Amino acid sequence: AQSVSQHNHHVILSEAASLELGCNYSYGGTVNLFWYVQYPGQHLQLLLKYFSGDPLVKGIKGFEAEFIKSKFSFNLRKPSVQWSDTAEYFCAVSPNYGGSQGNLIFGKGTKLSVKP
Amino acid sequence: EPEVTQTPSHQVTQMGQEVILRCVPISNHLYFYWYRQILGQKVEFLVSFYNNEISEKSEIFDDQFSVERPDGSNFTLKIRSTKLEDSAMYFCASSDRGRSYNEQFFGPGTRLTVL
């Protein structure tokens, strides 16, 4: 069955620290990959996505992610976090097959707390 | 900026009762989705909807569930006879194109509590 694993449940960092959140997926075919973020009290919103081309994708607010096909991974990174990055981060994949309507398969989420 | 809205924000119901969760997708979007998140668990896909019919559904979306677009703006999820295990946060999402690389825009969710 298709699945997405996020390795860290809760990450606590100080401001200016670097961030890397792990995401691995299990699916035999082509996928499109997403990171969504949910700030406290807000909607899930798209941070970045990958569907083809350069495996290093840049998103909003200085985030980037790298797709490594051989490792089935799509890790999220940010060189220097800010207090305002405190949120929950969700990795998601969308299997890319004929007739797919884009349903997303989510990981469990990683809660990031940034200490000022 | 246009956004997806959902009502109510919190619904409490007795087991066996019917509930209808409402969503207003972004106005020019054509593809609609429901997801749910049981407390402490993953966000799970329930169903996608396009052109007034279900496109895909998961194993969770059994005969107790139905979706409808009763007018040009609302998109509803009905649970006919709620069970305790239906307690979850239900998210509606919409997209302008039903392609797997397209961004889905999510609503704030409805927290359903079944007693």
Side-chain angles (χ1 to χ4, degrees), chain A residues 4 32 49 97 101-103, chain B residues 33 42 56 100-101 104 106:
Chain A
V4 176
N32 297 302
K49 66 180 181 182
Y97 55 89
Q101 295 294 310
N103 54 297
Chain B
Y33 309 83
K42 297 183 181 187
E56 288 183 281
S100 59
Y101 51 78
Q104 292 177 27
F106 284 81

Side-chain angles (χ1 to χ4, degrees), chain B residues 53-111:
Chain B
E53 58 183 31
I54 290 172
S55 309
E56 288 183 281
K57 60 183 181 179
S58 70
E59 292 170 354
I60 304 166
F61 194 87
D62 62 22
D63 292 344
Q64 291 299 311
F65 291 89
S66 62
V67 288
E68 197 177 35
R69 188 151 162 82
D71 53 43
S73 60
N74 288 283
F75 177 52
T76 62
L77 174 69
K78 183 194 291 187
I79 309 175
R80 284 192 188 82
S81 177
T82 49
K83 308 190 220 17
L84 294 176
E85 54 265 35
D86 293 327
S87 293
M89 183 75 94
Y90 288 81
F91 295 102
C92 173
S94 70
S95 175
D96 60 352
R97 284 170 290 176
R99 289 291 179 266
S100 59
Y101 51 78
N102 271 18
E103 178 179 359
Q104 292 177 27
F105 292 80
F106 284 81
T110 292
R111 181 169 297 285

